[in-house]
Amino acid sequence: MTRSFHTTRWTLVRNAQGDSVEARAALGDLCELYYEPVVSFLVRDGRDRDAAREVAHGFFAKVLAGDFLGESEQGRGRFRSYLLGALKHHLLNQRRDEGREKRGGGLEQVVLQPDHLVSMPDGDFDRGWALLIVERALATLERDESHRAEQFAALKPWLASGEIGESQEVTAARLGMSSGALKVAIHRLRRRFRELVRSEVAGTLYDPADLDDEMRHLVEALAGRG
């Protein structure tokens, strides 16, 4: 699929550099998606949750104002990578400003250590991103299946491949379905769920060719290997 036929949210933002109404709406949607991973990242960096939210609000205000869009090449077209790099840059600038204020006030000089930003918990950020991607895909699937809500609620545990408490035979009997029909329904839901997850991830990429790599990264992040 060529880029001209695959316009994603991140494509809109980068092509317009945030200047169009559509680009700003797309950027706002992306920022909403990544808000909780950013907050969790900041908490792991040593802040309480209220302080982390305050920093996140200031950071996203700058992102929405377009302050970091010129740096988007560093993420190779992945909004996840771009945002994490922009966040580290924002924190470094913030610490430099705080250091200048303290020196100007005659207080003890703060020695900044930019290397600290390199060792911050990227894996936690990526896991938060992966969980939100899955949650958004699941919410879309649930809306799509609202006309058969009872069946969806019964089959939802089988979206993952792990074992659940109830056998498929028991579930089929409870729903008044044959075992074969239940297996087909589970297969259909799993396939649609995978499509929705891929669609969510694709919306954060500039180049569709990166999708398979980003999907592998999502699986690794969910498994705690990111």
Side-chain angles (χ1 to χ4, degrees):
M1 184 178 294
T2 62
R3 186 173 302 161
S4 60
F5 292 99
H6 190 94
T7 303
T8 69
R9 288 168 291 185
W10 190 217
T11 306
L12 279 172
V13 173
R14 283 192 53 185
N15 283 350
Q17 287 295 286
D19 288 339
S20 70
V21 173
E22 293 84 359
R24 291 199 173 277
L27 184 57
D29 189 31
L30 287 167
C31 287
E32 181 181 357
L33 171 62
Y34 283 85
Y35 178 77
E36 285 301 330
V38 165
V39 170
S40 296
F41 180 92
L42 293 168
V43 168
R44 288 298 299 269
D45 189 43
R47 297 166 181 80
D48 63 40
R49 199 152 190 87
D50 287 341
R53 289 187 181 280
E54 183 177 349
V55 173
H57 290 160
F59 168 65
F60 280 114
K62 287 183 175 292
V63 172
L64 291 170
D67 288 8
F68 298 110
L69 286 177
E71 303 167 10
S72 61
E73 290 298 328
Q74 69 185 28
R76 295 193 307 148
R78 294 169 168 85
F79 186 76
R80 170 182 57 80
S81 301
Y82 151 75
L83 194 68
L84 186 56
L87 176 59
K88 290 182 176 182
H89 184 73
H90 174 72
L91 294 176
L92 182 57
N93 286 342
Q94 187 179 61
R95 287 167 183 168
R96 282 175 176 160
D97 291 343
E98 290 170 355
R100 291 192 191 102
E101 289 176 4
K102 290 185 177 181
R103 289 195 298 274
L107 300 177
E108 181 181 356
Q109 181 172 341
V110 176
V111 178
L112 296 172
Q113 297 179 349
D115 289 345
H116 168 65
L117 297 179
V118 178
S119 62
M120 289 167 75
D122 294 11
D124 293 319
F125 177 87
D126 288 347
R127 180 169 172 77
W129 157 77
L131 288 171
L132 278 174
I133 289 286
V134 170
E135 287 173 8
R136 283 169 65 101
L138 186 59
T140 300
L141 182 61
E142 188 167 7
R143 287 195 299 271
D144 291 349
E145 295 292 318
S146 60
H147 60 293
R148 45 189 168 210
E150 181 183 0
Q151 183 183 110
F152 176 76
L155 302 188
K156 181 178 174 181
W158 275 289
L159 286 176
S161 298
E163 296 293 328
I164 69 168
E166 186 174 82
S167 69
Q168 290 189 9
E169 289 75 14
V170 171
T171 300
R174 180 158 56 85
L175 294 174
M177 302 171 67
S178 68
S179 294
L182 183 77
K183 291 181 185 299
V184 170
I186 291 172
H187 176 74
R188 178 186 62 81
L189 275 184
R190 284 176 174 170
R191 182 179 60 196
R192 178 59 180 150
F193 183 52
R194 286 194 296 269
E195 290 171 352
L196 290 170
V197 170
R198 287 179 67 86
S199 178
E200 285 290 339
V201 173
T204 70
L205 302 175
Y206 183 71
D207 188 345
D210 290 333
L211 180 55
D212 286 340
D213 283 344
E214 198 73 342
M215 286 296 298
R216 280 190 288 272
H217 188 84
L218 180 139
V219 172
E220 291 173 355
L222 289 173
R225 300 194 301 269

